[in-house]
Amino acid sequence: MNQVPVVVTDIFQTPKSQAYSPVTVRIMRGIAAALPLHPDKSTPWEIWNAVALARIHVVSASLQHQALYVGRSCLLLNGIQGWSANPKITIYRPTRRSTSRLPACSIGSTTVPETCVTCSTIPPLSEERRRTNGLETEHPYDALIRCVQQEEPLEAFVLGCMALHQWSNFSMFEQMESRERAEEIRVALLKRLEHSPTKRGLRRARAILHAIDPGCENPAEAALLWLVRSISPFPSLTQVHIEVRGRHYYADIVIADLRIIIEFDGIGKLGDNQSDLARAKREWIRRDEDLRDAGWNIVRSSPVEWCNRFVSFGVGYALSWSGGSSCWVGWGVSRDLVRMSRLR
């Protein structure tokens, strides 16, 4: 019996203190990947991300000629994640090739569903190329423009927010400088968009590039912001600094006209153990008391609640808060961001 070739890469940049013995996973027929993960200690999203990156490298190893990765695959190789945790792999080819499937992968109790490898005949906007971990990609700006023209609006918006966050080196403590850098990048993206070889999705792409925000720290926050801005008739801001009683807070999403603060309580905010969780709860209570005393209404959303609401309501997501004599409920009456889905 022939031994299955194993693709070993250092693309995951795992710290030596956290490195585990590689887990060999079959990615496609005849080729497997060694992932620096521990099935029992790695989180599901770490496994999904590792498999997504490994699939790109395995596809490259399976091809006779060097591939040019574009769009979502280019952004993923550059550390930019979107809303979809199981993206398809996209390669630029001047002539269309048939789509191929990649089977599902299982690591421990986590199974990553199958995906596909597709070929795009749309050439990159520029001749600029990047090489990331030995793989050739189009320029990341070109990749984002490709995504905002071709991906679903939510996915495009999330990718744009994550890209702007990374490229501007956004810091909530230096927001003026960070947002100035983000605006310079936005202008550069809009200029590149005018040279797009396809006009399909052009108006929608402009709307998305104008709407993306660098203040979102993760894809879930960006997706939540997309829905809030879709249904709220009032402006919404990210990473807003609020001082109460000499204490300084930064709110994830703020609708100032309604005095509403929306907080996404991701896993990273909870800590790594029970003592960290207890301390986080105490800080939440004091933070919420301060902000409510200052006249703010707090809406907290956990990852599970957020996913359940998204699945249940989609773009008809209901954002609600009620307390005392005030109550505001905004149902899914989509405006600019939802109209993006109709623009071609």
Side-chain angles (χ1 to χ4, degrees):
M1 183 176 179
N2 294 330
Q3 183 179 5
V4 178
V6 176
V7 177
V8 182
T9 68
D10 59 356
I11 59 176
F12 312 111
Q13 300 177 351
T14 306
K16 291 183 179 180
S17 60
Q18 301 177 9
Y20 303 110
S21 299
V23 176
T24 302
V25 181
R26 178 180 177 273
I27 301 296
M28 61 190 301
R29 184 176 181 181
I31 306 180
L35 310 183
L37 298 171
H38 193 293
D40 299 325
K41 297 182 180 180
S42 299
T43 60
W45 49 89
E46 288 174 340
I47 293 175
W48 282 58
N49 185 59
V51 169
L53 288 169
R55 280 171 167 168
I56 295 177
H57 281 261
V58 166
V59 167
S60 179
S62 69
L63 298 175
Q64 295 180 349
H65 303 286
Q66 180 172 288
L68 176 63
Y69 292 93
V70 298
R72 183 73 174 81
S73 297
C74 168
L75 295 178
L76 182 62
L77 285 169
N78 283 275
I80 297 170
Q81 298 180 346
W83 175 245
S84 172
N86 189 37
K88 63 184 180 182
I89 298 172
T90 308
I91 299 171
Y92 166 66
R93 291 289 172 81
T95 57
R96 184 173 295 277
R97 301 285 183 90
S98 60
T99 300
S100 58
R101 310 294 300 183
L102 294 178
C105 301
S106 293
I107 299 178
S109 60
T110 301
T111 298
V112 181
E114 69 173 21
T115 189
C116 64
V117 182
T118 62
C119 297
S120 173
T121 59
I122 300 175
L125 282 174
S126 67
E127 297 296 328
E128 298 175 82
R129 300 288 182 266
R130 292 288 178 87
R131 184 165 290 277
T132 305
N133 296 307
L135 302 181
E136 187 176 24
T137 71
E138 65 181 343
H139 192 281
Y141 285 16
D142 295 347
L144 180 58
I145 291 173
R146 184 186 296 267
C147 289
V148 297
Q149 284 190 271
Q150 299 177 13
E151 298 283 352
E152 291 297 323
L154 172 60
E155 181 71 21
F157 180 83
V158 173
L159 285 169
C161 289
M162 293 297 94
L164 212 56
H165 182 87
Q166 182 189 105
W167 296 339
S168 65
N169 294 316
F170 187 86
S171 169
M172 69 174 66
F173 306 110
E174 300 177 351
Q175 291 203 42
M176 181 176 294
E177 296 84 353
S178 298
R179 293 190 183 276
E180 286 178 356
R181 291 193 296 268
E183 288 308 309
E184 292 174 358
I185 294 170
R186 194 193 311 273
V187 170
L189 289 168
L190 289 167
K191 287 182 178 179
R192 286 195 182 225
L193 178 62
E194 299 306 316
H195 301 288
S196 173
T198 175
K199 301 305 177 184
R200 181 178 175 83
L202 195 59
R203 288 192 299 158
R204 187 186 72 177
R206 289 197 194 98
I208 293 175
L209 290 178
H210 280 294
I212 56 179
D213 192 299
C216 300
E217 295 185 348
N218 55 64
E221 283 188 14
L224 181 58
L225 178 65
W226 183 83
L227 291 179
V228 169
R229 289 185 173 178
S230 295
I231 66 178
S232 172
F234 304 99
S236 55
L237 305 173
T238 61
Q239 302 302 330
V240 177
H241 174 247
I242 301 173
E243 182 179 357
V244 182
R245 297 168 180 165
R247 289 189 280 267
H248 299 268
Y249 302 114
Y250 288 88
D252 291 340
I253 302 174
V254 168
I255 305 177
D257 291 346
L258 299 176
R259 303 290 289 178
I260 289 178
I261 293 174
I262 304 169
E263 294 281 77
F264 185 84
D265 297 327
I267 299 297
K269 297 181 181 180
L270 302 180
D272 298 324
N273 50 55
Q274 289 296 327
S275 63
D276 288 345
L277 178 59
R279 183 173 61 253
K281 287 183 177 180
R282 291 194 297 269
E283 292 176 353
W284 285 350
I285 293 173
R286 186 179 71 175
R287 175 190 176 100
D288 286 1
E289 288 177 348
D290 285 347
L291 293 173
R292 287 197 173 98
D293 289 347
W296 291 97
N297 305 312
I298 315 299
V299 178
R300 289 194 175 275
S301 179
S302 70
V304 174
E305 290 174 344
W306 163 219
C307 291
N308 289 340
R309 289 178 180 178
F310 181 80
V311 171
S312 300
F313 295 103
V315 294
Y317 170 84
L319 171 65
S320 62
W321 175 87
S322 61
S325 60
S326 62
C327 180
W328 175 79
V329 179
W331 291 93
V333 182
S334 305
R335 279 170 296 279
D336 293 343
L337 290 177
V338 170
R339 280 201 295 269
M340 293 175 190
S341 63
R342 303 189 187 125
L343 299 178
R344 294 291 185 269

